[in-house]
Amino acid sequence: MEKELQSYLEFLRAEGKSTCTVTAYGSDLRQFLGYVTRFFPGEPVAAELSVQMIRDWLRELHDSRVGNRSLARKAAALKSFFLWLKLTGKISENPMDKVKRPKFEKALPHFFTEEEILTLLRIPDLDSVYGVRNRAILELLYSSGLRISELAELRLVDIDLKRRLLRVFGKGSKERLVPFGSEAAETIRAWLPLREKLLRPESSDRVFLTKSGKDFDGRQLYAILGRYFRLVAQKKGYSPHTLRHSFATHLLNRGADLRAVQEMLGHA
């Protein structure tokens, strides 16, 4: 079913789904199809994928202590995939209509205190090219509330340092203008000349590049920033996304308008 899966993933991209969503759904669906072939040798056939197969797979994942959030996403991937198969005439019934999606309790988001933020921003070594880059990343994430994927895809033409505005393409390729602070602007100005040292013939115009001059992906940024967070936060559950929650929380605590904050976050 690799052909159908590839066509489905192309459909998601055409619909404007984020790279992270497409990658996650592709991984989940290949995992499910791999499970099916363990018990039913040969190439899976869409019409033969049953409710029982889906239930058995989700039950196995649950018994393996896969988290409820991950289970819910995998179930969502299956539901979307089977709906696409039905709409394209490859199956007559969507088996996910008979499968209950896993439920999970939504935990309150973590956020850094303002003191922790100050400590965090002081960690990168500004005598290092990568320290300057990482400081700019931290400052911009906290100052703008961007998602990791949005920051990774930010291009030079998307930054207006004079007006301190970012042009951001968020979920569903929706465009929005996001303001950022003077400290973030200064760190970006410090980074841009050093960025030239990392350029390679194949480098893109992304603002932030890896040490080999390539584009960052979300996982690479998570790994880099996660090291800084572990030096600051003793609590578990802090991640690069915590900066986004901190941005919103600190603005609201200082009297910012909720609707304005939602618009900056891309929730409008």
Side-chain angles (χ1 to χ4, degrees):
M1 287 190 63
E2 184 62 26
K3 182 178 179 181
E4 289 91 340
L5 179 55
Q6 286 296 336
S7 296
Y8 166 70
L9 296 178
E10 286 300 323
F11 166 76
L12 292 183
R13 293 186 186 97
E15 287 288 295
K17 299 298 183 184
S18 71
T19 301
C20 290
T21 296
V22 175
T23 301
Y25 275 27
S27 175
D28 292 337
L29 293 169
R30 287 190 177 94
Q31 185 183 4
F32 169 66
L33 295 174
Y35 169 83
V36 171
T37 57
R38 280 166 47 193
F39 301 97
F40 302 91
E43 180 73 13
V45 177
E48 296 177 358
L49 298 175
S50 66
V51 173
Q52 194 59 49
M53 290 178 186
I54 296 168
R55 286 175 176 164
D56 288 347
W57 181 57
L58 293 175
R59 186 178 299 112
E60 179 178 284
L61 293 174
H62 179 269
D63 292 344
S64 301
R65 297 185 179 276
V66 172
N68 284 338
R69 285 181 179 274
S70 294
L71 283 175
R73 191 200 66 225
K74 292 175 189 296
L78 287 171
K79 188 174 183 68
S80 175
F81 181 50
F82 280 111
L83 177 60
W84 177 83
L85 288 172
K86 183 178 179 181
L87 291 174
T88 54
K90 295 175 175 61
I91 58 175
S92 58
E93 298 292 334
N94 184 347
M96 283 300 294
D97 289 340
K98 299 179 181 179
V99 177
K100 292 183 179 180
R101 290 184 61 180
K103 296 180 180 179
F104 59 91
E105 294 183 2
K106 190 171 184 179
L108 292 174
H110 297 288
F111 63 89
F112 290 111
T113 65
E114 293 191 30
E115 291 76 16
E116 286 175 327
I117 288 290
L118 290 174
T119 301
L120 180 67
L121 295 176
R122 294 191 189 107
I123 294 176
D125 178 9
L126 299 186
D127 291 328
S128 158
V129 171
Y130 310 116
V132 174
R133 178 198 64 192
N134 295 347
R135 171 70 177 273
I137 289 172
L138 287 167
E139 285 277 8
L140 193 56
L141 283 173
Y142 176 62
S143 182
S144 64
L146 293 186
R147 299 177 178 92
I148 286 288
S149 59
E150 292 171 343
L151 181 131
E153 295 173 2
L154 203 62
R155 300 183 181 278
L156 295 172
V157 294
D158 297 327
I159 296 184
D160 185 336
L161 285 171
K162 185 175 181 179
R163 294 193 297 163
R164 299 208 305 268
L165 286 174
L166 302 173
R167 184 178 61 166
V168 179
F169 295 91
K171 291 186 175 181
S173 297
K174 292 182 180 179
E175 181 180 343
R176 69 185 192 277
L177 290 178
V178 180
F180 59 95
S182 58
E183 289 292 332
E186 288 305 310
T187 59
I188 293 171
R189 287 192 178 96
W191 156 244
L192 290 180
L194 299 177
R195 176 185 176 277
E196 301 293 319
K197 298 181 179 181
L198 302 182
L199 290 178
R200 302 289 186 273
E202 67 276 12
S203 294
S204 73
D205 63 344
R206 297 278 176 88
V207 176
F208 298 107
L209 301 173
T210 67
K211 62 175 62 177
S212 58
K214 296 180 180 179
D215 295 345
F216 271 111
D217 61 35
R219 285 178 294 182
Q220 290 171 312
L221 283 172
Y222 262 77
I224 289 173
L225 299 178
R227 293 197 292 269
Y228 292 125
F229 296 154
R230 287 191 290 273
L231 293 174
V232 173
Q234 300 300 316
K235 299 177 183 178
K236 294 182 179 180
Y238 283 175
S239 73
H241 205 67
T242 306
L243 278 178
R244 185 168 156 85
H245 294 310
S246 304
F247 161 82
T249 301
H250 296 167
L251 280 180
L252 293 172
N253 286 345
R254 294 186 178 196
D257 178 71
L258 175 60
R259 183 63 177 171
V261 173
Q262 288 175 327
E263 289 177 356
M264 285 188 281
L265 291 171
H267 288 167

